Amino acid sequence: VAPAACHIMRCLDVVDACRATLMVGFNRRFDPNFAALKARMAAGAIGSLEILSISSRDPSPPPLSYVRRSGGLFRDMMIHDLDMARFMLGEDIASVTAMGGSIVDPKIGAAGDLDTAVVIMQSNSGKVVQINNSRRASYGYDQRVEAHGSKGMIRADNQHETTLEIATETGYSRDKILDFFLERYAAAYERELDAFVGAVTAGRKPSPDGHDGLKASLLADAADESWRTGKRIEL
Amino acid sequence: VAPAACHIMRCLDVVDACRATLMVGFNRRFDPNFAALKARMAAGAIGSLEILSISSRDPSPPPLSYVRRSGGLFRDMMIHDLDMARFMLGEDIASVTAMGGSIVDPKIGAAGDLDTAVVIMQSNSGKVVQINNSRRASYGYDQRVEAHGSKGMIRADNQHETTLEIATETGYSRDKILDFFLERYAAAYERELDAFVGAVTAGRKPSPDGHDGLKASLLADAADESWRTGKRIEL
Amino acid sequence: VAPAACHIMRCLDVVDACRATLMVGFNRRFDPNFAALKARMAAGAIGSLEILSISSRDPSPPPLSYVRRSGGLFRDMMIHDLDMARFMLGEDIASVTAMGGSIVDPKIGAAGDLDTAVVIMQSNSGKVVQINNSRRASYGYDQRVEAHGSKGMIRADNQHETTLEIATETGYSRDKILDFFLERYAAAYERELDAFVGAVTAGRKPSPDGHDGLKASLLADAADESWRTGKRIEL
Amino acid sequence: VAPAACHIMRCLDVVDACRATLMVGFNRRFDPNFAALKARMAAGAIGSLEILSISSRDPSPPPLSYVRRSGGLFRDMMIHDLDMARFMLGEDIASVTAMGGSIVDPKIGAAGDLDTAVVIMQSNSGKVVQINNSRRASYGYDQRVEAHGSKGMIRADNQHETTLEIATETGYSRDKILDFFLERYAAAYERELDAFVGAVTAGRKPSPDGHDGLKASLLADAADESWRTGKRIEL
């Protein structure tokens, strides 16, 4: 168990001992489109889930000073996608394999991190997951989820800045997608705060809780270890 | 000049005499997508505008009691599209022709109104406009603008309830579009209020003003007359 | 009755007298997408048709020499859309109104023709039709049909040169649509020839026949007359 | 080296010794959309390629009799995607990791094969690739390629049976995508035959050649081994 997870476990013990209310900020669970995707799957829209694909690309890399203390791409960026996988699967992950490198900026590699990564995982019941991350996307904050199941496929696409389409002698064009998390997840943050306040007010345990945070963190550790060792990590 | 326009003219005189601040609620001018469409045209995206096409369809007809006192489809519904035409053209209309009938509900026809209408118009400089209206659209509140120009075409599409797409053995499906004006024009209403408050605060004349309201009203009168007489109406 | 229609009627008499096999080249009826649109309507996809919208724009104007002897835009270009309207409606047209001008090239106006036109029509049962034509579309050969009915809307979109989409810092882009009739209607021409050969081989009367040609020609005459006189033409 | 690759190497020796003309049937290289995607990348559309994503899903599983003698999913199905990766990357693969299982049909698992698979690979220069395969897609033959680069993203989408879109009270719908390889790759097969005949006629060496076949086969062997052992395979 990596140091970060150790710290988290100790924190969770304190939270339990104090009967404190803890909600972890996995904001994407509250995105109306991703939440609707999960609800449609639960309603049977694609039968039984078989392949989950998550694309998650930032518009541009963070400053190197952040990279050095962030814990690395798996822990500061992909952790949201790892939580998304657990959220969509409704079950835990059994094994993780990662590949990647510092393609965007070699200085990120020199700082011991990577900026481009792909991960494949398998859940306890055998469903497969693929995730790709990049620290650079010229066209905006690329956040997509696609689920393939026994009866079909469902996907949540990005949101463009406008609904405009322009056709000229060079072809058809649409605007970029929303630029970064404050714009893209504005509705998610609002719903997330509502959920937290609602839980506190009602005396309910909020979700996602600290154990969801811990599990995502352990997945990030596993992906990081797989990337560094070239081995498949079993959880 | 129809009675409604007479009343409006007298109102505008009073407004002028009192130096009152008047802004007319043509909310669609403030829709971010329609406003962006106009801005792109102004920036040269499609060259010189030649054909303007407006589709505007309500999800379902209003109650008959409303139909009887609304002034009719041209004055209570298409008036927004007639203003949109003036807004996008940046000039006034020279001639109007209308056709239509009560296809959705014969009771609307019995009340002296129509529920399905098409209008073509020509601007002072010769640009052409086509508008279609229906009081019924099973798939939501259909509000689209398309402009064709010397260098290309630009259009503003509807907004769907989510960005989801589902593929099954029956094909690919997306959600309906936003249901009616409160949902679809939420951002427009907010921006419209900002514009009004901003104008009042700054002591500026707000836009659209009473004369925009009058001109749209005269166009609605002309469309109504054309529909009733079968004649092209020159303004 | 205009001279062209007179000639057609005499031709049809000769065709009947000789028991000759005649099929008129309204190729668009055989376009797989338009044919599918009609079939879906017949199968009830949108309930009862209420508004038919046809966009038909050529990539660029024909030579002036052609304009001078073509019979004009209504007879050489919009005639296909007028036939498409009859094909989709499954009934005849009762009234026609046209507007337009020579916006693309004033020389076309000087030659007595127009290059940008909008037409609205009403069928015998009261359904409404809107058509727009332009002799210029920088983005390709724009050929779309949209039908709005009591239970929904169906439309046939253009075909792009490829299925590619590219996203960069300037936005998302797709290729132009197929450039002109030989590319766009390749499948239609093939199916049209099959239909003709099939009819001849089987001794069946082919469709569309000479009377479809005559009716489209009379509609083109009516649109032309409406454009020149500003009057609604009843058929 | 697996037996299949051994056989291929001996075949290639014979081909060389006989100076025979050999072209390998990787038909997807000739698909107009995938070929255009590669050409646009070569022209700089997305800068330098960083992440290549390939989705490849059959409409339904083959008969078990075929599964038993096909060499397995990696050798009979994913081999096309492995070749596509080499084709798009323009370089060779350095390492491969696979995961998957028999989710679609346990009988496929009992036959020693899998029906759902994900693979991640890294090229000699460090670019990453992700592939997902399923033997079942209710919505047709799902064949997509997406490339993410330093300056943007490019993707080739599926082709739908028609360009129709229908909107009703249940939402918007489009037709399924083309059902299987004969329909989807009709243009590719035609271009592939042209390339072969052209090469033979001109006395040129055709492409892809036997060594492309061997390399794809070695990748399939590596993916299969990775799936069976849980290890990353270096090539």
Side-chain angles (χ1 to χ4, degrees):
Chain A
V1 174
C6 261
H7 286 305
I8 295 170
M9 285 177 199
R10 286 173 54 192
C11 290
L12 295 184
D13 285 345
V14 174
V15 166
D16 283 352
C18 304
R19 302 188 175 208
T21 301
L22 174 66
M23 178 167 154
V24 170
F26 286 132
N27 57 304
R28 296 183 198 173
R29 291 189 178 212
F30 298 92
D31 175 74
N33 294 304
F34 293 148
L37 193 157
K38 184 178 161 71
R40 305 288 170 93
M41 282 203 294
I46 62 162
S48 171
L49 173 61
E50 294 169 356
I51 305 173
L52 181 69
S53 301
I54 300 173
S55 286
S56 176
R57 300 165 187 168
D58 281 358
S60 52
L64 276 174
S65 57
Y66 176 82
V67 168
R68 283 193 198 98
R69 59 183 171 75
S70 76
L73 178 143
F74 294 111
R75 290 188 189 89
D76 100 68
M77 178 177 173
M78 194 182 282
I79 196 165
H80 282 281
D81 306 301
L82 297 166
D83 178 67
M84 181 59 71
R86 288 188 63 246
F87 178 63
M88 291 296 176
L89 288 166
E91 60 172 324
D92 281 314
I93 297 295
S95 57
V96 178
T97 306
M99 278 188 188
S102 55
I103 308 179
V104 173
D105 186 352
K107 286 191 199 117
I108 291 175
D113 198 9
L114 78 174
D115 51 40
T116 304
V118 286
V119 159
I120 50 178
M121 310 195 292
Q122 203 153 8
S123 73
N124 285 338
S125 76
K127 299 172 194 312
V128 292
V129 179
Q130 52 177 198
I131 299 172
N132 73 77
N133 272 190
S134 171
R135 288 287 199 187
R136 168 168 63 189
S138 65
Y139 49 95
Y141 185 42
D142 190 355
Q143 299 280 297
R144 287 172 282 158
V145 172
E146 175 178 317
H148 178 87
S150 56
K151 291 186 178 164
M153 184 265 288
I154 182 167
R155 60 184 168 207
D157 203 354
N158 288 301
Q159 293 166 260
H160 293 259
E161 288 170 353
T162 68
T163 65
L164 296 181
E165 186 162 43
I166 303 180
T168 67
E169 61 181 354
T170 61
Y172 281 64
S173 62
R174 290 188 294 159
D175 286 337
K176 289 171 68 174
I177 52 177
L178 295 180
D179 192 53
F180 212 2
F181 55 92
L182 290 181
E183 293 80 15
R184 165 59 186 267
Y185 290 123
Y189 287 124
E190 215 171 294
R191 291 161 48 120
E192 189 181 33
L193 282 171
D194 284 352
F196 180 67
V197 171
V200 169
T201 310
R204 271 189 282 102
K205 214 173 146 329
S207 170
D209 65 13
H211 294 278
D212 294 307
L214 175 63
K215 285 180 172 176
S217 185
L218 290 170
L219 285 172
D221 292 342
D224 192 78
E225 186 186 344
S226 175
W227 171 59
R228 292 182 193 279
T229 63
K231 291 191 175 153
R232 184 163 92 183
I233 309 300
E234 313 292 335
L235 286 123
Chain B
V1 175
C6 260
H7 287 303
I8 294 170
M9 285 175 200
R10 286 174 54 196
C11 289
L12 294 184
D13 286 345
V14 175
V15 166
D16 282 351
C18 305
R19 303 187 174 210
T21 301
L22 177 64
M23 179 167 154
V24 171
F26 286 133
N27 57 304
R28 295 182 199 174
R29 291 189 177 213
F30 298 92
D31 175 75
N33 294 305
F34 293 149
L37 192 156
K38 183 178 161 74
R40 305 286 170 93
M41 283 203 293
I46 62 161
S48 171
L49 175 60
E50 294 170 357
I51 305 172
L52 181 69
S53 300
I54 301 173
S55 286
S56 177
R57 301 166 187 167
D58 281 357
S60 52
L64 276 174
S65 56
Y66 177 83
V67 169
R68 285 193 196 97
R69 61 186 170 71
S70 75
L73 178 143
F74 294 111
R75 291 187 189 89
D76 99 69
M77 178 177 173
M78 195 183 281
I79 196 164
H80 282 280
D81 306 300
L82 297 165
D83 177 68
M84 181 59 69
R86 289 188 62 247
F87 178 63
M88 291 295 176
L89 289 165
E91 62 172 321
D92 280 315
I93 297 295
S95 57
V96 179
T97 306
M99 278 188 188
S102 53
I103 307 179
V104 174
D105 184 354
K107 287 191 197 115
I108 291 174
D113 199 8
L114 78 175
D115 50 40
T116 304
V118 286
V119 158
I120 50 179
M121 312 195 291
Q122 204 153 7
S123 73
N124 286 338
S125 76
K127 300 174 194 313
V128 293
V129 179
Q130 52 176 199
I131 298 172
N132 74 76
N133 272 188
S134 172
R135 289 287 198 187
R136 168 170 61 190
S138 65
Y139 50 96
Y141 185 41
D142 190 357
Q143 300 280 298
R144 285 173 285 156
V145 172
E146 175 179 316
H148 178 87
S150 56
K151 291 185 179 164
M153 183 266 289
I154 183 169
R155 60 183 166 205
D157 204 352
N158 289 302
Q159 294 167 258
H160 292 260
E161 289 170 354
T162 68
T163 64
L164 296 180
E165 185 162 44
I166 303 180
T168 66
E169 62 182 353
T170 61
Y172 280 63
S173 62
R174 290 188 295 158
D175 285 337
K176 291 172 66 173
I177 52 177
L178 295 181
D179 192 53
F180 212 2
F181 55 91
L182 290 181
E183 293 81 16
R184 165 59 185 266
Y185 290 124
Y189 287 123
E190 214 170 297
R191 290 161 50 119
E192 189 181 35
L193 283 171
D194 283 350
F196 180 69
V197 171
V200 170
T201 309
R204 272 189 282 102
K205 212 173 148 328
S207 172
D209 67 11
H211 295 276
D212 294 307
L214 175 63
K215 284 179 172 176
S217 185
L218 290 169
L219 284 173
D221 291 343
D224 192 78
E225 187 185 343
S226 174
W227 171 59
R228 292 181 192 281
T229 63
K231 289 190 177 153
R232 185 163 90 182
I233 309 301
E234 313 291 335
L235 285 125
Chain C
V1 176
C6 261
H7 286 304
I8 293 169
M9 285 176 199
R10 286 173 54 195
C11 289
L12 293 184
D13 285 345
V14 175
V15 165
D16 281 353
C18 303
R19 303 187 174 210
T21 302
L22 176 66
M23 179 167 153
V24 170
F26 286 132
N27 56 305
R28 294 181 200 175
R29 290 189 179 213
F30 298 92
D31 175 74
N33 294 303
F34 293 148
L37 193 156
K38 184 179 161 72
R40 304 287 170 93
M41 282 203 294
I46 63 161
S48 170
L49 174 60
E50 294 170 358
I51 306 171
L52 182 69
S53 300
I54 300 173
S55 286
S56 176
R57 301 165 186 168
D58 281 357
S60 52
L64 276 174
S65 57
Y66 176 83
V67 169
R68 285 192 197 98
R69 61 186 170 71
S70 77
L73 178 143
F74 294 111
R75 290 188 190 90
D76 99 68
M77 179 176 173
M78 195 183 281
I79 195 164
H80 282 281
D81 306 301
L82 297 165
D83 177 67
M84 181 58 73
R86 289 188 62 246
F87 178 63
M88 290 297 176
L89 289 165
E91 62 171 321
D92 281 314
I93 297 295
S95 57
V96 178
T97 306
M99 279 189 187
S102 54
I103 308 178
V104 174
D105 185 353
K107 287 192 197 113
I108 291 174
D113 198 10
L114 77 174
D115 51 40
T116 304
V118 285
V119 158
I120 49 178
M121 313 195 290
Q122 204 153 7
S123 72
N124 286 338
S125 76
K127 299 172 194 312
V128 293
V129 179
Q130 53 177 196
I131 298 172
N132 73 77
N133 272 189
S134 172
R135 289 287 199 187
R136 168 169 62 188
S138 65
Y139 50 96
Y141 186 41
D142 190 356
Q143 300 279 299
R144 284 172 285 158
V145 172
E146 176 177 316
H148 178 88
S150 56
K151 290 185 179 165
M153 184 265 289
I154 182 168
R155 61 184 167 204
D157 203 353
N158 289 301
Q159 295 166 259
H160 293 260
E161 288 169 353
T162 67
T163 64
L164 295 181
E165 186 161 42
I166 302 181
T168 67
E169 62 182 353
T170 60
Y172 281 64
S173 62
R174 290 188 295 158
D175 286 336
K176 291 172 66 174
I177 52 178
L178 295 180
D179 192 54
F180 212 2
F181 55 91
L182 290 181
E183 292 80 16
R184 166 60 186 266
Y185 290 124
Y189 287 124
E190 214 171 296
R191 289 161 48 118
E192 189 181 33
L193 283 171
D194 283 352
F196 180 67
V197 171
V200 170
T201 309
R204 271 188 284 102
K205 213 171 147 328
S207 170
D209 66 13
H211 294 277
D212 294 307
L214 175 62
K215 284 179 172 176
S217 185
L218 290 169
L219 284 173
D221 291 343
D224 192 78
E225 187 185 343
S226 174
W227 171 58
R228 292 181 192 282
T229 63
K231 290 190 176 152
R232 185 164 90 181
I233 309 300
E234 314 290 335
L235 286 125
Chain D
V1 175
C6 259
H7 287 305
I8 295 171
M9 285 175 199
R10 287 173 55 193
C11 290
L12 294 183
D13 286 345
V14 174
V15 166
D16 283 352
C18 304
R19 304 187 173 210
T21 302
L22 175 66
M23 178 166 155
V24 170
F26 286 133
N27 56 306
R28 296 182 198 173
R29 290 189 178 212
F30 298 92
D31 175 73
N33 293 304
F34 292 149
L37 192 158
K38 183 178 162 72
R40 304 287 170 91
M41 282 203 294
I46 62 161
S48 171
L49 174 60
E50 294 169 356
I51 306 172
L52 180 69
S53 301
I54 300 173
S55 286
S56 176
R57 300 165 188 168
D58 282 357
S60 51
L64 277 175
S65 56
Y66 175 83
V67 169
R68 283 192 198 99
R69 60 185 170 71
S70 76
L73 178 144
F74 294 111
R75 292 189 188 88
D76 100 68
M77 179 177 173
M78 195 184 281
I79 195 163
H80 282 280
D81 307 300
L82 296 166
D83 178 67
M84 180 59 71
R86 288 188 63 245
F87 178 63
M88 291 297 176
L89 289 166
E91 61 172 323
D92 282 314
I93 296 296
S95 56
V96 179
T97 306
M99 278 188 190
S102 54
I103 307 179
V104 173
D105 186 351
K107 287 193 198 114
I108 291 175
D113 198 11
L114 78 175
D115 50 40
T116 303
V118 287
V119 158
I120 50 179
M121 311 194 292
Q122 202 152 9
S123 73
N124 285 337
S125 76
K127 298 171 194 315
V128 292
V129 179
Q130 54 177 195
I131 299 172
N132 73 77
N133 272 190
S134 172
R135 290 286 199 189
R136 167 169 62 189
S138 65
Y139 49 95
Y141 185 42
D142 190 355
Q143 300 280 298
R144 287 173 282 157
V145 172
E146 175 177 316
H148 178 87
S150 57
K151 291 185 178 165
M153 184 266 289
I154 182 168
R155 61 184 166 205
D157 203 352
N158 289 302
Q159 294 166 259
H160 292 259
E161 288 170 354
T162 68
T163 64
L164 296 181
E165 186 162 44
I166 302 180
T168 67
E169 62 181 354
T170 60
Y172 281 63
S173 62
R174 291 189 294 160
D175 285 337
K176 290 171 68 172
I177 51 178
L178 295 180
D179 192 53
F180 212 2
F181 55 92
L182 290 181
E183 295 79 17
R184 166 59 185 268
Y185 289 123
Y189 287 124
E190 216 171 293
R191 290 161 50 119
E192 188 181 34
L193 283 171
D194 283 353
F196 180 68
V197 171
V200 169
T201 309
R204 270 189 285 102
K205 213 173 147 327
S207 171
D209 65 13
H211 295 277
D212 292 308
L214 175 62
K215 284 179 171 174
S217 184
L218 290 169
L219 284 172
D221 291 343
D224 192 77
E225 187 185 342
S226 175
W227 172 57
R228 291 180 193 280
T229 64
K231 291 192 175 151
R232 184 164 91 183
I233 310 300
E234 313 292 333
L235 286 124

